[in-house]
DNA sequence: GCAATATTCAACCAAATGGTTGACGATTTA
DNA sequence: TAAATCGTCAACCATTTGGTTGAATATTGC
């Protein structure tokens, strides 16, 4: 999907969409390939795998274990 | 886990932690129960179920289907 | 060859976020 | 009973975010 196609349904400037797509690319959620003057964007299927796995574990601990949660967050912040 | 216990490992004010916990409560990610002067916090286990399910679906579409992704986002924004 | 299209950039601005401090009220402890 | 503790509130401030506009570059189409 081209950048202008992504932008089409939104009531905001192309420059703003371009900014968002840059962030999504940097986050690894989408990838972009330039062919001619058009940049083609596509989703990266595995991009949220780790986040999804982490979310599935959310709450698996006993409520008392916010310590474990905090440790996890610290570790994630270090990454 | 009490609010002060949550705050303990972080190098920031209790007021800031309290703000964050208010947001997490409002988001349904944790719940809080006051007993005496202490507020006990616990994770809500199912809080991220919908997000996790959505993330698992991320990328399942053909790359051409950013349309479907957009429709999904619109729908989510309406919710 | 020039106009149109696609896209980004820089500069700008308003709104939102994320923290602090000091004060305060409720509860507990000594 | 007073001090200590727990937690929130309001006000404030700096930073970040999220958008715009106009200009610019690269590419395509007529």
């Amino acid at each position: 999907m081209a950048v202008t196609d992504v932008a089409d349904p939104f009531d905001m400037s192309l420059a703003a969409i371009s900014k968002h797509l840059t962030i999504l690319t940097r986050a690894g959620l989408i990838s972009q390939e330039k062919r001619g003057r058009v940049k083609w964007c596509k989703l990266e299927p595995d991009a949220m795998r780790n986040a999804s796995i982490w979310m599935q574990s959310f709450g698996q601990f006993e409520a008392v274990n916010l310590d474990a949660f905090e440790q996890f967050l610290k570790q994630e912040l270090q990454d």
Side-chain angles (χ1 to χ4, degrees), chain A residues 5 8 15 18 22 26 29-30 32-35 39 43-44 47 51 55 59 67 71 74 77:
Chain A
D5 297 322
D8 191 47
S18 180
T22 298
R26 220 183 311 128
L29 297 174
I30 66 168
Q32 290 184 303
E33 180 193 1
K34 189 169 187 177
R35 289 190 247 122
K39 265 222 181 131
L43 290 173
E44 287 297 326
M55 283 184 168
D67 290 301
Q71 294 306 320
K74 279 183 179 178
L77 286 172

Side-chain angles (χ1 to χ4, degrees), chain A residues 46-61 65-77 79:
Chain A
D46 284 340
M48 294 195 192
R49 182 184 295 281
N50 288 344
S52 176
I53 290 168
W54 178 82
M55 283 184 168
Q56 283 173 275
S57 71
F58 193 83
Q60 296 306 312
F61 302 106
N65 270 348
L66 264 175
D67 290 301
F69 181 54
E70 284 175 14
Q71 294 306 320
F72 178 91
L73 286 181
K74 279 183 179 178
Q75 201 171 5
E76 288 301 295
L77 286 172
D79 283 318

Side-chain angles (χ1 to χ4, degrees), chain A residues 1 3-14 16-17 20-21:
Chain A
M1 189 171 231
V3 172
T4 42
D5 297 322
V6 177
D8 191 47
F10 297 101
D11 186 26
M12 61 199 256
S13 73
L14 186 56
I17 297 292
H20 284 297
L21 292 175

